Amino acid sequence: MTDFMKEYKSAAESFRLQGKVTDIQPYGEGHINLTLLVCTTEKRYIMQKMNTHVFPDPDNLMRNICAVTEYLRASGAETLNVVPTLEGKPFLKGKECYRVYDFIENTVTYQKVTDKKVFFNSGKAFGEFQNCLAGFDASVLTETIPHFHDTPKRFADFRAALEADAFGRAKECRPEIDFFLSHADTYGKVAEGLKDGSVPLRVTHNDTKLNNILMDAETNEARAVIDLDTVMPGSMLYDFGDSIRFGASTAAEDEQDLDKVHFDISLFKAYAEGYCGAVKPKVTPREKQLFSYGAYLMTAECGMRFLADYLSGDTYFATKYPGHNLVRCRTQVRLASEMERSFPEMDAVVSEILG
């Protein structure tokens, strides 16, 4: 047995598992935490070595997760079940930090949108997640990544990276720079709404990719929302917008041929029917006005983050080749531009769903 496997087995045996540990294997395609499938003589579990560099406050992170999952369970929703340590703690804290969840059997995840019905189901799942937590006081949650979707702050960070131009790269991306600078007055609507109360502070997932939903292996109906590390106070417009950014594109986030990159209004409609249909009883008038804008905002924000990282020497996002972050930025600029032109059609879709 390798030293790593000895460490994993020792960690697993520090939790209140049913049965004896028989096998531990890498699991899934996550890039932040190390995820392992733990098998015992009685059942299966998911164990994760937590990334305390990305999330340096594991105590409050796990406090968030426990509070939200307990609330969801009390509401009748299927959700992650945190397995306590032998001492009754929500995670194992030491040189490395580990946590364990019950394995949710008979489920699958999808890495990309290939079916409108699956995308609809994901929208419905994230909308129902929002609905179930509508009565939860979001202000008690800790920001695990401060200012995560504070777009004006992200824009200020981009401006600082541009002014420094530490690697002399600005000359290579003037059209992208000009796009973000010329749209400076469009980034503050959600932040301003949260300040004046017209946009309610809600529990938000903040990483609403398709692969963060467990689908039933037989019916493809959503079973549970997972990957709750970024559950924080925010706006439902962030969650809706990021799903559209990721899922309503005709190409990968790092597609180099921009002729293949387009905003797909039919996928937008499929997701909106699921998400907006689910949150309809809870949504406010101002939120209704901003769903389409939220998709644009999250796409623009992501693009400026890619560009800021490129200008700063690629220190945040993992890259596979020189210019990778600039390629990513260009896909987001293409999508954000097409979304802008599609606002009337997008708004009409949302209005039809919400009434």
Side-chain angles (χ1 to χ4, degrees), residues 205-235:
H205 184 279
N206 293 299
D207 192 14
T208 50
K209 294 184 179 68
L210 185 62
N211 59 7
N212 282 332
I213 298 176
L214 296 181
M215 303 286 191
D216 189 276
E218 295 180 6
T219 67
N220 265 340
E221 295 288 330
R223 292 269 301 278
V225 173
I226 60 171
D227 196 0
L228 304 179
D229 287 354
T230 53
V231 165
M232 291 181 274
S235 166

Side-chain angles (χ1 to χ4, degrees), residues 25-227:
Q25 297 291 336
Y27 187 82
E29 300 185 32
H31 300 299
I32 304 298
N33 303 301
L34 172 66
T35 301
L36 302 159
L37 178 64
V38 177
C39 300
T40 75
T41 52
E42 296 188 28
K43 61 182 295 184
R44 300 197 291 177
Y45 299 89
I46 288 293
M47 182 170 75
Q48 291 182 314
K49 180 191 282 190
M50 301 164 65
N51 188 329
T52 53
H53 296 288
V54 175
F55 298 104
D57 186 0
D59 290 280
N60 277 316
L61 182 151
M62 289 306 297
R63 184 181 65 82
N64 283 2
I65 290 175
C66 288
V68 166
T69 54
E70 287 167 10
Y71 191 93
L72 287 169
R73 195 172 297 107
S75 302
E78 187 170 11
T79 187
L80 294 172
N81 184 57
V82 177
V83 177
T85 66
L86 296 175
E87 288 75 35
K89 304 295 184 181
F91 73 105
L92 183 64
K93 189 175 183 180
K95 182 179 179 181
E96 303 288 353
C97 294
Y98 287 87
R99 63 183 172 207
V100 171
Y101 300 115
D102 285 331
F103 187 87
I104 301 178
E105 299 285 357
N106 301 312
T107 58
V108 296
T109 57
Y110 293 91
Q111 299 303 315
K112 61 181 180 179
V113 176
T114 57
D115 184 293
K116 289 179 185 177
K117 181 63 175 176
V118 170
F119 201 35
F120 166 86
N121 285 341
S122 72
K124 183 180 177 183
F126 280 121
E128 290 177 346
F129 177 84
Q130 183 62 244
N131 269 356
C132 285
L133 292 164
F136 188 100
D137 181 3
S139 69
V140 306
L141 297 177
T142 298
E143 284 190 274
T144 54
I145 303 177
H147 303 290
F148 188 57
H149 280 317
D150 182 344
T151 314
K153 171 69 164 56
R154 295 293 191 183
F155 180 62
D157 293 342
F158 159 70
R159 289 289 300 267
L162 174 60
E163 289 169 12
D165 194 17
F167 292 83
R169 292 177 171 180
K171 61 182 179 293
E172 303 166 17
C173 43
R174 285 313 316 182
E176 292 75 30
I177 290 168
D178 291 343
F179 175 85
F180 293 117
L181 293 179
S182 67
H183 286 73
D185 62 349
T186 70
Y187 303 137
K189 293 180 183 179
V190 175
E192 291 161 5
L194 288 168
K195 286 180 181 178
D196 66 25
S198 60
V199 174
L201 186 72
R202 300 182 185 272
V203 179
T204 47
H205 184 279
N206 293 299
D207 192 14
T208 50
K209 294 184 179 68
L210 185 62
N211 59 7
N212 282 332
I213 298 176
L214 296 181
M215 303 286 191
D216 189 276
E218 295 180 6
T219 67
N220 265 340
E221 295 288 330
R223 292 269 301 278
V225 173
I226 60 171
D227 196 0

Side-chain angles (χ1 to χ4, degrees), residues 7 99 129 146 241 256 284-285:
E7 176 189 331
R99 63 183 172 207
F129 177 84
Q256 297 187 43
T284 67

